[in-house]
Amino acid sequence: MSKVKIVSIIYAIGIIIGALFFDVWGADTTPLKTLSVFVWTIIFIIALFFVDKNERN
């Protein structure tokens, strides 16, 4: 299994955990919850960049 797929699976699991257990997309969201989703996505994009860069070399 490629590293890009592993990073994508970890990201999806994190989104599911955020949705189900932390109620990120609930009716009463806070700025902290919103920022946590943005940070998680930024970490995902950075991880994808470095993993893809390392796989090409």
Side-chain angles (χ1 to χ4, degrees):
M1 184 179 290
S2 71
K3 291 180 182 178
V4 173
K5 287 183 183 180
I6 293 171
V7 169
S8 299
I9 290 169
I10 291 171
Y11 176 74
I13 290 171
I15 292 295
I16 291 169
I17 288 172
L20 296 177
F21 297 113
F22 298 125
D23 198 32
V24 174
W25 285 279
D28 55 342
T29 57
T30 62
L32 181 63
K33 288 181 182 180
T34 305
L35 281 175
S36 68
V37 172
F38 284 129
V39 168
W40 184 246
T41 303
I42 290 168
I43 291 170
F44 171 66
I45 292 169
I46 292 170
L48 271 181
F49 173 76
F50 283 113
V51 166
D52 187 47
K53 182 180 174 183
N54 287 337
E55 280 188 355
R56 289 184 186 199
N57 291 336

